[in-house]
Amino acid sequence: MEPREFFIEDRLERFRLKAFCNLGESGLGHFRLEEVLEMAKISFSDLADIPMNDAPNQGSLELRRTIAALYPGVSPEQVLVTTGTGEALYLAFHMALKPQTKVALIWPAFQALYEIPKMLGAEIIKVPHEKAFLASTWSEIDADLYILNHPHNPTGKTFSDWEWNSLITEFREKKRQVLFDEHYRFLPGEGFIGRTGVDTNHSFYGTGSFTKCFGVTGLRVGWLVAEESFLKRARSFKDYLTHTVSPISERIALGLLNAKESFLPKIQSRVRKNIQSFDSVWKELPYTESFTTPAGGLVGWLKLKPGISSEDYADKLFEKTGVFVLPGINFEEEGFLRIGFGEREERMNEGLLRWKECTDLI
């Protein structure tokens, strides 16, 4: 079997590089290499000294130590460096799933979170986002693997402290197998870094990255965190895929993670200001009905008036204003738009002004 067309990525490929104001992406607007090296406190001469052999298949020990430090009780041996979070998810699903496995996840969802399990013969249990952030909802669901993507893409929702603690306690007591997809952990609604559910002592696996949050998606660095036996199988499977991550990407990744305290607050401020700007004007945007301010991450879920095609709306908005948004139909949910908040502030404000003034969209 093979997965279906990747609706989201296909549309991103067609529009993201042409947009005047990019509100369709789920990552921070990119930095140039020169800026990235400055953020990572690396010089060009540092890169010139890197030997261009294969990096270790599991990832360099130094990078794995730095990633492991992001998770309580995790050792470098429990970290596998991957080519983006996409590979980490692909590996995790192949290790954890068999045909007829029941997989429960928050709906709507990023396509890879359910398309790969479906390809492997799993049964998908969709947990609507309106009730997915209540612990009591999950206690009623019988599944073999639970996927918690938080902060959630595409809605920007996450759990309150009480609901989170209740859910984690229940999962531990019932010995559930859980995959925590925590790509936006570096952009919590408050504070410097968000919570994690990863616990290698309880089959609580984790996938993560910093690339979307730091504006460096081109580095293609992610990771999988799990107990050693699970990770050993995943590492062997990785030999059939990318085998290793570029040593250049690994070196820059290490620098960025070690220096994050110096630049991440500015990024977090930019994203939060963009969310505030959007929250203050969305009611003035034509044919919009509701919007819930994201509790974390880089994206939000804007509801359109009933009967409007999200794809037609998005196409016309781009054609008339240069503003790119992602239609909800790409998440297999009609009547919504996913809004990204990683654009430069001045472009974000100009884009919203153009959008407000464009009433001929349906």
Side-chain angles (χ1 to χ4, degrees), residues 97-113:
L97 303 182
K98 298 177 181 178
Q100 309 306 313
T101 299
K102 293 182 179 179
V103 176
L105 80 168
I106 305 166
W107 190 262
F110 182 64
Q111 196 171 345
L113 291 179

Side-chain angles (χ1 to χ4, degrees), residues 4 9 15 76 79 83 92 100 118 122 134-136 143 152 183 206 216 224 227 241 245 266 268 299 302 320 331:
R4 295 178 298 164
E9 295 301 328
F15 289 97
V79 175
T83 302
Q100 309 306 313
K118 283 173 63 178
L134 301 174
S136 58
H152 182 234
H183 207 112
V216 290
L224 170 65
E227 68 266 19
L241 300 173
V245 173
K266 186 175 180 179
Q268 292 173 335
V299 295
L302 177 67
K320 294 176 181 294
F331 288 88

Side-chain angles (χ1 to χ4, degrees), residues 57-224:
N57 174 272
Q58 191 170 343
S60 72
L61 178 58
E62 196 171 7
L63 179 56
R64 287 188 286 115
R65 279 176 177 156
T66 301
I67 295 168
L70 300 170
Y71 300 92
V74 169
S75 71
E77 290 69 33
Q78 296 169 328
V79 175
L80 175 63
V81 178
T82 61
T83 302
T85 309
E87 184 179 48
L89 290 169
Y90 194 83
L91 292 168
F93 289 142
H94 276 78
M95 298 305 102
L97 303 182
K98 298 177 181 178
Q100 309 306 313
T101 299
K102 293 182 179 179
V103 176
L105 80 168
I106 305 166
W107 190 262
F110 182 64
Q111 196 171 345
L113 291 179
Y114 62 91
E115 202 68 51
I116 302 304
K118 283 173 63 178
M119 181 188 75
L120 296 172
E123 175 188 339
I124 304 300
I125 301 172
K126 301 175 181 178
V127 184
H129 69 89
E130 293 88 351
K131 60 180 184 178
F133 297 93
L134 301 174
S136 58
T137 296
W138 296 90
S139 65
E140 301 171 357
I141 297 171
D142 181 26
D144 301 297
L145 176 67
Y146 299 80
I147 301 175
L148 294 187
N149 165 232
H150 71 102
H152 182 234
N153 178 9
T155 68
K157 293 182 178 181
T158 192
F159 296 86
S160 70
D161 290 342
W162 190 92
E163 298 291 350
W164 176 261
N165 292 333
S166 298
L167 182 59
I168 296 299
T169 298
E170 180 171 342
F171 279 156
R172 283 177 178 160
E173 290 176 349
K174 294 185 176 180
K175 298 182 179 180
R176 302 300 197 187
Q177 184 174 231
V178 189
L179 175 63
F180 292 90
D181 182 36
E182 300 173 339
H183 207 112
Y184 288 138
R185 194 172 165 215
F186 295 101
L187 289 174
E190 312 181 321
F192 185 74
I193 189 168
R195 62 187 154 212
T196 178
V198 174
D199 186 340
T200 55
N201 295 318
H202 291 86
S203 295
F204 289 3
Y205 314 126
T207 56
S209 181
F210 58 85
T211 59
K212 286 188 179 183
C213 296
F214 292 5
V216 290
T217 52
L219 278 183
R220 307 308 306 157
V221 173
W223 54 80
L224 170 65

Side-chain angles (χ1 to χ4, degrees), residues 282-308:
W282 73 262
K283 292 180 182 179
E284 302 173 49
L285 303 177
Y287 311 110
T288 57
E289 185 170 287
S290 65
F291 176 72
T292 301
T293 305
L298 263 167
V299 295
W301 201 228
L302 177 67
K303 186 176 183 180
L304 299 173
K305 298 286 186 183
I308 296 176

Side-chain angles (χ1 to χ4, degrees), residues 281-345:
V281 304
W282 73 262
K283 292 180 182 179
E284 302 173 49
L285 303 177
Y287 311 110
T288 57
E289 185 170 287
S290 65
F291 176 72
T292 301
T293 305
L298 263 167
V299 295
W301 201 228
L302 177 67
K303 186 176 183 180
L304 299 173
K305 298 286 186 183
I308 296 176
S309 162
S310 59
E311 192 165 38
D312 289 347
Y313 188 105
D315 286 346
K316 290 181 180 177
L317 180 64
F318 178 80
E319 177 187 339
K320 294 176 181 294
T321 68
V323 175
F324 169 46
V325 295
L326 203 64
I329 195 63
N330 288 163
F331 288 88
E332 304 190 62
E333 285 289 309
E334 187 54 280
F336 296 86
L337 302 174
R338 189 190 73 179
I339 310 300
F341 301 103
E343 183 59 278
R344 305 283 179 179
E345 292 173 61

